[in-house]
Amino acid sequence: VRKTSVSSVIRDEKRAAQLEEGEAFAPRETEIMRLPRFMSDQRMTGARIGTALHRMMRMADLDVLRNTTDLMAQLAAQREEMRRNGVITQAEYDAVPVRMLTDFFASPLGVRLLRSRRVEREWAFTFRRETENGAALVQGVIDCCFEENGKWVLVDYKTDSPADVPGAIERHRPQLEIYAQALEKITGMQVCERVLYLVRAGAGYAV
């Protein structure tokens, strides 16, 4: 049984579809060569926001957030403590304003998450996935999932431009589908909802 990652599975499936349609497969620029960080400010900023946001979401004290009367103030305090303790760098601190975190936790999706008594964040997994080409051990990391009425709500955070919501949904749909398969197979509990949360848009979208 071979090992692979979720991103590799998606890339291979896209490549197979293109070959079936008689199209030549052209690797993305990032697969050919990564530009130095100073030559790619926009991409660097997006990556920094994504990395920082994931770290802050993983480290946020949900019990405190559940009981606070001032969500933004509490998130600001937790964010500052992360910076002070070296959990996040100054650059990461600057890349993710407290408003971005507050928008999530104050949203209907965030409220539902805080109501849940089982929330998993940055959950690494390996599961056996059967395909027409044989079995593969697929590895990945689920950004967030929480239990609601005995079922899972799967959440994935992305930093895509808010100007292209339909495109973002289609780009990330295969990833969330594989995450849902893994979550159901490993836990034996149904995934009732898959949500793509676009942090720059401050909104979640069903996928």
Side-chain angles (χ1 to χ4, degrees):
V1 179
R2 63 188 179 91
K3 283 188 177 182
T4 188
S5 65
V6 172
S7 58
S8 295
V9 169
I10 294 170
R11 185 171 61 248
D12 291 345
E13 289 180 349
K14 286 182 178 179
R15 184 179 301 173
Q18 288 173 328
L19 290 174
E20 287 179 3
E21 294 171 4
E23 299 179 5
F25 175 73
R28 295 173 299 174
E29 178 188 355
T30 53
E31 292 177 326
I32 299 172
M33 179 179 66
R34 293 187 181 276
L35 294 176
R37 292 175 70 88
F38 70 89
M39 294 177 60
S40 183
D41 288 342
Q42 184 176 0
R43 198 170 354 167
M44 180 182 68
T45 300
R48 183 166 63 239
I49 290 173
T51 299
L53 179 86
H54 280 76
R55 185 172 296 131
M56 293 184 197
M57 292 295 289
R58 182 177 75 247
M59 299 300 296
D61 189 328
L62 301 184
D63 287 336
V64 173
L65 295 181
R66 289 183 179 110
N67 295 297
T68 186
T69 57
D70 191 333
L71 194 59
M72 179 173 282
Q74 181 52 233
L75 284 165
Q78 290 194 25
R79 175 170 161 269
E80 174 61 29
E81 185 177 4
M82 291 178 200
R83 185 194 62 78
R84 189 170 57 249
N85 292 338
V87 174
I88 58 174
T89 66
Q90 183 65 50
E92 291 173 326
Y93 179 90
D94 294 338
V96 180
V98 67
R99 174 197 53 78
M100 192 175 284
L101 300 171
T102 306
D103 284 350
F104 174 79
F105 284 108
S107 71
L109 178 65
V111 170
R112 290 167 60 194
L113 182 150
L114 291 175
R115 286 176 180 164
S116 174
R117 290 302 167 183
R118 185 180 181 187
V119 180
E120 303 289 349
R121 294 171 285 179
E122 299 295 311
W123 203 2
F125 67 84
T126 300
F127 88 113
R128 182 186 178 98
R129 186 171 184 257
E130 301 290 343
T131 71
E132 58 184 17
N133 297 319
L137 291 177
V138 180
Q139 298 176 321
V141 180
I142 292 172
D143 286 353
C144 179
C145 57
F146 61 91
E147 185 177 347
E148 188 175 73
N149 299 322
K151 299 178 182 179
W152 288 116
V153 177
L154 174 64
V155 184
D156 199 68
Y157 320 116
K158 297 296 182 186
T159 58
D160 297 59
S161 168
D164 185 26
V165 171
I169 291 173
E170 290 311 307
R171 278 193 299 275
H172 300 300
R173 186 187 303 277
Q175 181 182 14
L176 268 75
E177 288 175 347
I178 293 175
Y179 285 176
Q181 291 172 15
L183 195 53
E184 290 186 339
K185 184 168 184 178
I186 293 170
T187 67
M189 195 159 71
Q190 181 184 353
V191 174
C192 66
E193 196 172 342
R194 301 181 310 223
V195 182
L196 178 69
Y197 186 83
L198 299 182
V199 298
R200 293 182 180 178
Y205 302 89
V207 175

